[in-house]
Amino acid sequence: MKKIIPILLIASMLYYVSSCEKDDICVEGDTPLMVIGFFDIEDTTEVKRVSSIRIRNIDIDSILTNGSFSDRANSPDSLMVPLRSSATSTMYQIISGSRDDDETEQEIGNIDTLTISYDLGEAFISRACGFVVNYNNITVTVPESAENWIQDIKVVQPNVENTDNIHVKIFH
């Protein structure tokens, strides 16, 4: 009996040590945002800011604000917008020349509606982060109208896997 107790003690300690897992911390587990850049229609390499831009997510009826821009400010060179991970399309109203008075926005601001369609894909990041959603085969459409301030759209990177580069160029 005295010989069995040390053997059981050693076996249980080995089991305890081998079953321990290191603590994983997720640092790169965010679903990427789509990056939109604004360019001049006359010189397609020239960045052109949008004055008093407002972006409204039609799907959830909310105004988009995040770290890449402020509501009704002049647009930066590019901005990041989220796409829905529970559907295969997202709709945004992008308003140029938006005003502080919501009632006159329909009359004063120039509103174009973008429909962004895509295929959903999953990418395994790590055991701590799990999976993130990637967006593949992006297409962007805007209904044609003589009053559109957006004159052309070009998808330059059809897969959204990170936020390192511009995915969509909007020319105005």
Side-chain angles (χ1 to χ4, degrees):
M1 183 74 165
K2 289 182 181 180
K3 292 181 182 180
I4 294 178
I5 291 176
I7 293 173
L8 288 175
L9 211 68
I10 291 172
S12 65
M13 285 176 43
L14 287 174
Y15 174 76
Y16 177 75
V17 170
S18 67
S19 66
C20 290
E21 296 178 12
K22 70 177 187 170
D23 290 337
D24 287 332
I25 298 175
C26 180
V27 248
E28 298 181 18
D30 291 337
T31 295
L33 302 174
M34 185 178 78
V35 181
I36 299 175
F38 297 97
F39 294 86
D40 189 348
I41 190 69
E42 301 297 323
D43 181 1
T44 57
T45 61
E46 182 79 23
V47 173
K48 184 177 180 184
R49 299 180 192 280
V50 180
S51 64
S52 298
I53 190 170
R54 173 173 253 198
I55 300 178
R56 176 179 287 131
N57 187 324
I58 296 172
D59 301 312
I60 58 174
D61 192 26
S62 69
I63 302 302
L64 184 67
T65 57
N66 62 29
S68 69
F69 70 99
S70 300
D71 186 32
R72 292 188 173 116
N74 291 337
S75 71
D77 296 348
S78 62
L79 52 89
M80 297 181 280
V81 297
L83 300 175
R84 294 190 311 158
S85 59
S86 60
T88 57
S89 69
T90 302
M91 292 181 69
Y92 283 107
Q93 283 182 330
I94 300 185
I95 305 162
S96 171
S98 178
R99 300 288 188 255
D100 288 336
D101 184 5
D102 287 335
E103 293 177 20
T104 61
E105 186 165 74
Q106 297 292 335
E107 300 167 11
I108 297 173
N110 195 337
I111 303 171
D112 286 351
T113 302
L114 297 181
T115 302
I116 306 159
S117 302
Y118 43 83
D119 298 326
L120 296 172
E122 290 184 339
F124 180 74
I125 302 299
S126 69
R127 195 170 56 192
C129 297
F131 290 88
V132 296
V133 175
N134 287 334
Y135 306 95
N136 303 316
N137 304 317
I138 288 180
T139 59
V140 182
T141 57
V142 61
E144 289 188 33
S145 169
E147 298 179 11
N148 282 357
W149 67 272
I150 296 175
Q151 296 179 14
D152 195 16
I153 297 173
K154 182 178 181 185
V155 176
V156 292
Q157 198 168 26
N159 298 329
V160 178
E161 298 169 348
N162 57 52
T163 56
D164 296 339
N165 298 311
I166 291 175
H167 300 102
V168 175
K169 289 184 176 183
I170 292 180
F171 301 96
H172 61 106

